[in-house]
Amino acid sequence: MDLKALRLIIPLTLFVAYKGVGCSSVQQKIYVQLNKTFPCVRLLNATHQIGCQSSVSGDTGVLHVLETETDLDWVLSSGPNPPYVVLMVAEHFNRSTMMKLKGSARVAGVAVVISKAGPAQGFSPHHSCPNQNSGVYSDSYGPELAGCNVTVWNPLGNSLSYEDFRFPIFSLHEGEEADVIRKCFLDHNRGVNGSDPAYPLCAMQLASHMYAVKDTATCMRRNDIQSRFSISPEFVCDALADYNVWSSLKPLNNSGKGHLDGESVVIAATRLDSRSFFWNEAPGGESAVGGFVTLLAAAQALRAVVEDHPPSQNILFTFFQGETFDYIGSSRMVYDMENGKFVIDLDNIHSLVEIGQVALHRNGQLWLHSDPVSRRNSSVRSEVEKLISNMKSTALNLSLSVAEPDVSQPLPPSSFQRFLRARPIPGVVLTDHMSAFSNRYYESLYDDAEYLNVSYPSGLSPEEQLEYVTDTAKTLAEVATLVARSLYKQAGGLDDHLSSINADPKIVTQMLYGFLVQSNNSWFRSLVSPDIVKNLGPQPPQYYVGVPTSGDPVKMPTWLVQYVLANFTGTLRNLTQTQCKNPEDLEGESKDLYSYFWVQGPVPPNSTQGEGYCVRAPVRLVKAHSPAFELHQYSSRDYSTWTESRWKQIQARIFLVASRDLEMLTLGVGVAVLLVSLVVTYFINSKADLLFSSSRETTSTAY
């Protein structure tokens, strides 16, 4: 065979071999990627770091399923093949087990399989005294009430979310991927008749390397160095932040800031956020959704009455973001009020009503909490007593009972505490608990729709579920009616009109479905802009505040609450889409008094597009960004300093791993093949003239 033919055959052979292998890479044949996992990530504040992380390339260990105490001993001491990645069911995911694993060098990571129902005894990875260092009670204000000395609000709290783990921890839900992992373990890692398992063994790799370390001051200093001296800066952390949502019965001029002469405002407040141990898994059913759905329903119930019979005082509806992390949203609003950066200031506040956790009330019993320290002031005490009296009298016409705790105790964790830090303001916090939380799953994965009994008869389609009025919707509608009537009365409305104020259970059930079951539903799609519709999914939103990004400056829950509130408090305007976006030059329109929203509208039958329309509403977004970052006070004890570390890769996968001896043998053979290849290559190269020469043909050859 001559050299020309050889040059043609070699590429053809390589092409056929490539096609024979197909498009599957070697990596795809070795690893099984796990795509439905959620990591525990690193968070930092003024003093320390919490959360989890892996090494740069990820941590790998032999998989072991934790089912009994014997399995824990295997991982910690007797197992012959450390390090281990522990797969555990939710009932073993507790402080005792995790602290034992944390103290062992034989653990490379943990994967937690989350079941649909939470442990019967309850589970809360949050503190037993939430936000105890950022509320109003301190050595200088009610020291006898500080630090949950009187009332432990979250007795099931084990503080697991505030530990610092030096190995990765991932969650995955019951389903196909969890079954694949278990099968891999059973097929390869179970010894026969008590013997040690034989190689190859099933291993798992968890990758979640975090860039930030130590505390917020350190990571922000490194960010500053990057921004100053690098052409392409790579930041290591970001401040937790989003936006608060607010609206008012009577529009407030957004171009004016500071004190508003002649304006007295009753604030109706609640929180929007929650969290759990794992990043962006925060269903927040009782801790957040129940409260803000109640306040939204109250705003909707007031609308019909206030148009014809407005109260003498204005009502400001506020929805705070980031309250889980030392009251980010409420502390920012108070800071803006103090510094003339909000539409009103603290002097304009008449009183405050906050809606806390209200979805789990038993036998219609609700509790009104007030601050015993500020009530020592006679004027504050008088206004608080009036407010409580209004709410009690309002409840008489409903199937609800409202009472004060029978012992003197501090306010529960609440945004109201940040206002009291600024000055004594009359106010109450409405909850479903007298002392300790009724919520057994506070700030955990299990605080979801199922826990709130937002359930439907079998066989209903998604649209039918959207319209089905659940028992939970009925009870929250009753609470919303109480809140709406109380606000109207507190703001100076006449008793004659109270009976006309009623929250709609159907509206409440639609909100619960969208916020707790599935955001991509026909009702939500009709209320939001076309740009937001495409981001709605078959799952509920997650209420972890997170960090803003260039592609996602406002989180989905904030968008949804803003549009729902605009629908409840706004009016339809006969404007085109272009006019709705730019109404400044139109007579009777003002962007200083209103926001304008172009929404998709309901989709008619036999159509795929909604009939869009313009909504004008006094609804605004304002920053929920801790003042500590604008003041560059990264070690502040007055404001939240929470940041989230950055990362490049989040990955979980399983594969089979060979024994150490086989790995070394493979390495040795590989090195040997390499050396032989080098020798052969050198020999062929040195004899190339002889090996690849061809006899020169004479010119006289006849063809």
Side-chain angles (χ1 to χ4, degrees):
M1 185 180 294
D2 62 13
L3 186 60
K4 184 182 293 185
L6 187 63
R7 287 173 179 168
L8 290 173
I9 289 173
I10 290 176
L12 182 62
T13 303
L14 293 174
F15 176 80
V16 172
Y18 170 76
K19 285 304 209 180
V21 170
C23 295
S24 295
S25 68
V26 174
Q27 183 181 23
Q28 290 173 322
K29 292 180 179 294
I30 295 174
Y31 298 103
V32 176
Q33 295 291 145
L34 305 173
N35 299 315
K36 297 179 180 179
T37 58
F38 297 86
C40 158
V41 302
R42 174 165 289 168
L43 299 169
L44 310 98
N45 66 6
T47 57
H48 62 291
Q49 65 185 30
I50 64 172
C52 321
Q53 82 150 2
S54 73
S55 59
V56 175
S57 58
D59 291 336
T60 301
V62 173
L63 185 67
H64 194 79
V65 176
L66 182 62
E67 296 175 334
T68 65
E69 282 295 322
T70 304
D71 294 315
L72 188 59
D73 292 338
W74 178 276
V75 171
L76 298 178
S77 58
S78 61
N81 304 302
Y84 289 97
V85 170
V86 180
L87 180 73
M88 65 172 67
V89 294
E91 65 184 81
H92 294 302
F93 184 59
N94 53 54
R95 183 174 182 84
S96 174
T97 300
M98 291 305 300
M99 296 310 288
K100 290 177 182 177
L101 296 177
K102 179 182 178 179
S104 174
R106 292 165 56 91
V107 178
V110 173
V112 184
V113 180
I114 305 300
S115 57
K116 289 186 177 180
Q121 70 274 18
F123 173 74
S124 173
H126 205 71
H127 285 314
S128 60
C129 190
N131 287 355
Q132 62 177 320
N133 296 319
S134 53
V136 68
Y137 302 107
S138 64
D139 292 340
S140 58
Y141 189 99
E144 71 281 3
L145 305 174
C148 292
N149 287 333
V150 175
T151 304
V152 178
W153 296 107
N154 185 35
L156 293 175
N158 58 30
S159 300
L160 201 57
S161 290
Y162 293 86
E163 290 291 337
D164 182 27
F165 293 93
R166 301 306 174 96
F167 52 74
I169 304 175
F170 280 55
S171 74
L172 62 156
H173 291 261
E174 285 286 4
E176 183 178 343
E177 289 190 345
D179 293 339
V180 169
I181 297 172
R182 289 192 181 101
K183 186 176 187 305
C184 186
F185 170 77
L186 294 174
D187 290 347
H188 299 280
N189 294 13
R190 282 264 190 186
V192 179
N193 297 325
S195 63
D196 292 340
Y199 285 97
L201 297 175
C202 183
M204 178 178 279
Q205 183 184 55
L206 303 175
S208 60
H209 180 65
M210 302 285 125
Y211 289 167
V213 295
K214 193 177 178 182
D215 53 40
T216 289
T218 302
C219 82
M220 296 303 291
R221 182 173 66 250
R222 293 177 179 178
N223 283 353
D224 185 58
I225 293 172
Q226 283 285 323
S227 63
R228 288 172 182 269
F229 301 107
S230 175
I231 298 176
S232 301
E234 291 190 6
F235 295 153
V236 297
C237 72
D238 301 279
L240 296 180
D242 193 25
Y243 286 82
N244 297 326
V245 185
W246 68 267
S247 179
S248 56
L249 284 185
K250 292 179 284 187
L252 297 172
N253 191 330
N254 195 53
S255 62
K257 306 294 182 183
H259 184 71
L260 197 57
D261 291 337
E263 190 74 43
S264 181
V265 173
V266 177
I267 292 182
T270 192
R271 59 184 281 191
L272 285 179
D273 69 302
S274 183
R275 71 167 298 197
S276 75
F277 184 87
F278 299 100
W279 179 76
N280 210 29
E281 276 213 291
E286 159 78 337
S287 59
V289 177
F292 73 69
V293 163
T294 298
L295 188 54
L296 287 170
Q300 192 267 344
L302 282 167
R303 177 178 177 178
V305 174
V306 298
E307 289 180 352
D308 298 324
H309 308 284
S312 58
Q313 296 171 330
N314 208 345
I315 300 176
L316 186 73
F317 303 99
T318 57
F319 300 80
F320 295 122
Q321 268 284 13
E323 298 300 273
T324 303
F325 295 94
D326 294 332
Y327 305 117
I328 294 174
S330 57
S331 64
R332 178 53 187 257
M333 183 170 283
V334 171
Y335 173 82
D336 287 344
M337 286 181 176
E338 289 179 312
N339 291 277
K341 297 180 179 181
F342 193 64
V343 293
I344 62 171
D345 65 7
L346 293 171
D347 289 332
N348 291 123
I349 299 176
H350 173 269
S351 52
L352 187 149
V353 177
E354 180 170 352
I355 316 304
Q357 301 181 84
V358 293
L360 296 177
H361 63 272
R362 299 178 179 89
N363 302 318
Q365 181 66 62
L366 293 169
W367 299 92
L368 291 172
H369 302 267
S370 59
D371 172 41
V373 178
S374 61
R375 289 183 68 168
R376 296 168 189 168
N377 179 301
S378 59
S379 61
V380 171
R381 181 174 63 254
S382 175
E383 197 59 50
V384 170
E385 289 173 350
K386 177 184 174 183
L387 176 55
I388 292 173
S389 176
N390 286 343
M391 298 192 77
K392 286 182 176 180
S393 63
T394 301
L396 294 176
N397 298 319
L398 301 170
S399 58
L400 296 172
S401 175
V402 177
E404 292 183 86
D406 55 5
V407 294
S408 178
Q409 62 181 14
L411 285 169
S414 53
S415 306
F416 182 30
Q417 293 198 31
R418 293 301 303 193
F419 286 84
L420 288 174
R421 282 182 63 145
R423 65 175 57 187
I425 294 173
V428 295
V429 179
L430 180 68
T431 73
D432 56 19
H433 54 88
M434 183 184 74
S435 53
F437 294 161
S438 300
N439 188 356
R440 292 183 289 116
Y441 302 117
Y442 183 72
E443 308 290 32
S444 81
L445 286 163
Y446 306 109
D447 188 12
D448 56 10
E450 184 172 337
Y451 182 49
L452 293 191
N453 197 29
V454 179
S455 56
Y456 308 91
S458 60
L460 294 186
S461 67
E463 283 301 310
E464 290 171 333
Q465 291 178 354
L466 179 64
E467 301 294 326
Y468 181 82
V469 180
T470 63
D471 291 339
T472 302
K474 294 175 184 176
T475 59
L476 280 183
E478 192 87 343
V479 179
T481 299
L482 168 68
V483 171
R485 293 180 180 181
S486 300
L487 289 172
Y488 184 75
K489 194 170 183 178
Q490 181 68 11
L494 300 177
D495 289 354
D496 296 345
H497 307 301
L498 290 180
S499 60
S500 302
I501 301 174
N502 294 286
D504 186 350
K506 184 177 178 180
I507 292 289
V508 175
T509 208
Q510 289 174 322
M511 286 193 286
L512 289 175
Y513 183 83
F515 286 119
L516 285 175
V517 180
Q518 179 172 311
S519 63
N520 187 12
N521 60 76
S522 60
W523 189 63
F524 269 10
R525 290 196 298 269
S526 70
L527 298 182
V528 302
S529 72
D531 292 337
I532 295 178
V533 168
K534 61 187 178 183
N535 294 321
L536 300 177
Q539 65 284 325
Q542 297 299 315
Y543 299 97
Y544 169 65
V545 60
V547 300
T549 64
S550 56
D552 184 22
V554 182
K555 298 299 181 185
M556 182 55 67
T558 306
W559 281 128
L560 291 175
V561 169
Q562 181 194 29
Y563 275 91
V564 171
L565 187 60
N567 179 266
F568 289 168
T569 62
T571 57
L572 301 184
R573 307 301 291 172
N574 187 22
L575 303 176
T576 66
Q577 186 171 0
T578 301
Q579 290 173 329
C580 192
K581 290 182 178 179
N582 301 284
E584 296 91 345
D585 300 329
L586 301 176
E587 185 178 353
E589 308 297 343
S590 172
K591 294 193 78 171
D592 289 335
L593 294 177
Y594 302 99
S595 295
Y596 292 78
F597 304 89
W598 183 262
V599 301
Q600 178 168 280
V603 178
N606 303 319
S607 177
T608 58
Q609 294 293 327
E611 298 178 351
Y613 56 87
C614 184
V615 175
R616 185 183 76 177
V619 176
R620 304 283 181 180
L621 297 181
V622 292
K623 284 183 180 180
H625 186 251
S626 173
F629 296 97
E630 292 193 3
L631 299 171
H632 302 288
Q633 297 176 359
Y634 305 129
S635 298
S636 172
R637 298 302 177 95
D638 294 322
Y639 299 109
S640 172
T641 55
W642 284 104
T643 54
E644 178 186 273
S645 174
R646 288 195 179 188
W647 61 83
K648 278 192 176 179
Q649 183 185 47
I650 298 292
Q651 178 179 260
R653 58 189 183 179
I654 59 173
F655 58 95
L656 295 182
V657 62
S659 68
R660 186 71 174 171
D661 293 341
L662 182 57
E663 287 178 342
M664 296 308 296
L665 177 61
T666 303
L667 176 63
V669 171
V671 172
V673 170
L674 174 64
L675 294 175
V676 171
S677 299
L678 292 174
V679 172
V680 171
T681 302
Y682 174 78
F683 174 76
I684 292 175
N685 186 61
S686 64
K687 303 297 182 181
D689 292 342
L690 178 62
L691 293 174
F692 300 109
S693 64
S694 59
S695 59
R696 185 178 298 276
E697 298 173 344
T698 63
T699 58
S700 60
T701 303
Y703 291 93

